[in-house]
């Protein structure tokens, strides 16, 4: 009988199943590690061992240990009925409040510049890589959301487009554009404050960063300092609505 799975085990099983469904062959240990944001192959093997012990997969040890470990649950239909619907949200980690406060500082700076007050901070191994806030009105660039600017700066700083092992903190749930960029950059973890029921694509209208059809999925935590971020946004738009209309 299959036993209940922990979040990391569920993420790996989802990734394996989706990969097989889309490609018809199994991913390598390196690809599995990237999907979970893990650098150690030993950790990947440990998660696979727990999946096997709980009855979700069977490993064929006659083949290379590096590839093609899954011989059970080999189709999407095999697992989908037993999966919980919707995205999976991880609980906050100890440093999340600290970094979200820094993202809020960026959001306040955005509001002071007449930008929608959204800020983003990108962190890897406990160190700040990049930070920014919305700049769409300042630059006249519709893609200059806080997340996009932070991702660009981080890629320039480290000299590569892949941001594995990084955590992106943002004060508002990312839109479809930003969620897609997070997946393409292979950001390991996303933490956002306020939800966006109108355009949010990381749990509200959809969840691109955990879409099972994509080859990378981002661990997601929401609600960190949500009240502060929401109050900042509401105050900004209330202030704009209260202003007298500009004269022609």
């Amino acid at each position: 009988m299959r036993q209940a799975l922990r979040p990391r085990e569920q993420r790996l099983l989802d990734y394996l199943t989706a990969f097989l469904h889309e490609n018809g062959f199994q991913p390598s240990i390196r690809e599995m590690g990237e999907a979970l944001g893990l650098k150690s192959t030993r950790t990947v093997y440990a998660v696979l061992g727990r999946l096997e012990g709980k009855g979700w997969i069977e490993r064929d040890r006659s083949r290379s240990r590096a590839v093609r470990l899954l011989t059970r649950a080999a189709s999407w239909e095999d697992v989908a009925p037993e999966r919980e619907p919707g995205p999976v949200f991880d609980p906050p980690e100890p440093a999340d409040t600290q970094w979200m406060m820094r993202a809020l500082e960026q959001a306040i700076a955005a509001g002071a510049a007449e930008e929608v007050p959204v800020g983003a901070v990108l962190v890897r191994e406990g160190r700040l890589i990049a930070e920014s806030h919305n700049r769409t009105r300042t630059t006249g660039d519709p893609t200059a959301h806080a997340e996009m600017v932070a991702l660009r700066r981080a890629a320039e700083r480290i000299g590569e487009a892949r941001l594995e092992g990084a955590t992106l903190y943002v004060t508002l749930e990312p839109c479809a554009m930003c969620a897609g960029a997070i997946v393409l950059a292979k950001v390991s973890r996303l933490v956002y404050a306020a939800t966006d029921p109108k355009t949010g694509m990381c749990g509200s209208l959809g969840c691109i960063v955990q879409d099972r059809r994509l080859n990378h999925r981002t661990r997601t935590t929401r609600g960190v300092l949500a009240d502060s971020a929401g109050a900042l946004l509401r105050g900004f738009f209330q202030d704009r609505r209260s202003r007298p209309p500009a004269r022609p």
Side-chain angles (χ1 to χ4, degrees), residues 19-117:
F19 194 100
L20 282 166
H21 180 70
E22 292 294 323
N23 300 284
F25 58 90
Q26 298 166 41
S28 67
I29 288 294
R30 178 185 60 79
E31 289 170 322
M32 295 181 205
E34 289 178 355
L36 270 70
L38 300 174
K39 296 182 179 180
S40 169
T41 57
R42 182 177 299 178
T43 305
V44 179
Y45 283 123
V47 178
L48 287 168
R50 292 198 295 271
L51 284 173
E52 186 175 31
K54 292 181 177 182
W56 286 90
I57 67 171
E58 295 173 355
R59 290 187 290 175
D60 184 355
R61 289 171 174 77
S62 66
R63 301 180 179 181
S64 166
R65 292 187 67 196
V67 295
R68 298 185 179 178
L69 299 175
L70 187 68
T71 60
R72 188 174 176 181
S75 70
W76 179 256
E77 293 75 12
D78 237 4
V79 175
E82 301 186 43
R83 297 175 65 251
E84 290 295 327
V88 175
F89 295 105
D90 294 341
E93 296 183 1
D96 288 350
T97 299
Q98 168 196 345
W99 289 115
M100 190 61 76
M101 289 178 66
R102 181 142 186 163
L104 279 170
E105 292 175 359
Q106 285 289 322
I108 292 169
E114 296 296 316
E115 296 277 359
V116 176

Side-chain angles (χ1 to χ4, degrees), residues 77-161:
E77 293 75 12
D78 237 4
V79 175
E82 301 186 43
R83 297 175 65 251
E84 290 295 327
V88 175
F89 295 105
D90 294 341
E93 296 183 1
D96 288 350
T97 299
Q98 168 196 345
W99 289 115
M100 190 61 76
M101 289 178 66
R102 181 142 186 163
L104 279 170
E105 292 175 359
Q106 285 289 322
I108 292 169
E114 296 296 316
E115 296 277 359
V116 176
V118 178
V121 170
L122 198 68
V123 178
R124 185 159 68 179
E125 297 178 351
R127 299 178 61 183
L128 177 68
I129 304 175
E131 59 185 338
S132 188
H133 54 71
N134 271 4
R135 296 179 179 274
T136 57
R137 297 177 182 178
T138 304
T139 62
D141 178 1
T143 71
H145 288 192
E147 305 95 304
M148 299 293 290
V149 177
L151 290 172
R152 289 170 185 154
R153 289 179 175 177
E156 290 174 1
R157 181 174 181 181
I158 67 176
E160 60 178 307

Side-chain angles (χ1 to χ4, degrees), residues 108-222:
I108 292 169
E114 296 296 316
E115 296 277 359
V116 176
V118 178
V121 170
L122 198 68
V123 178
R124 185 159 68 179
E125 297 178 351
R127 299 178 61 183
L128 177 68
I129 304 175
E131 59 185 338
S132 188
H133 54 71
N134 271 4
R135 296 179 179 274
T136 57
R137 297 177 182 178
T138 304
T139 62
D141 178 1
T143 71
H145 288 192
E147 305 95 304
M148 299 293 290
V149 177
L151 290 172
R152 289 170 185 154
R153 289 179 175 177
E156 290 174 1
R157 181 174 181 181
I158 67 176
E160 60 178 307
R162 297 164 71 97
L163 300 173
E164 290 116 332
T167 298
L168 178 65
Y169 294 88
V170 60
T171 59
L172 181 65
E173 180 183 352
C175 67
M177 173 184 68
C178 296
I182 290 167
V183 172
L184 291 173
K186 297 189 181 299
V187 174
S188 296
R189 185 167 178 254
L190 166 68
V191 182
Y192 65 85
T195 58
D196 186 350
K198 292 185 177 179
T199 64
M201 287 298 293
C202 295
S204 292
L205 300 181
C207 196
I208 291 174
V209 294
Q210 292 187 14
D211 194 308
R212 58 183 177 243
R213 294 166 295 183
L214 303 178
N215 64 0
H216 176 79
R217 300 181 70 186
T218 300
R219 295 169 50 208
T220 304
T221 298
R222 65 177 176 179

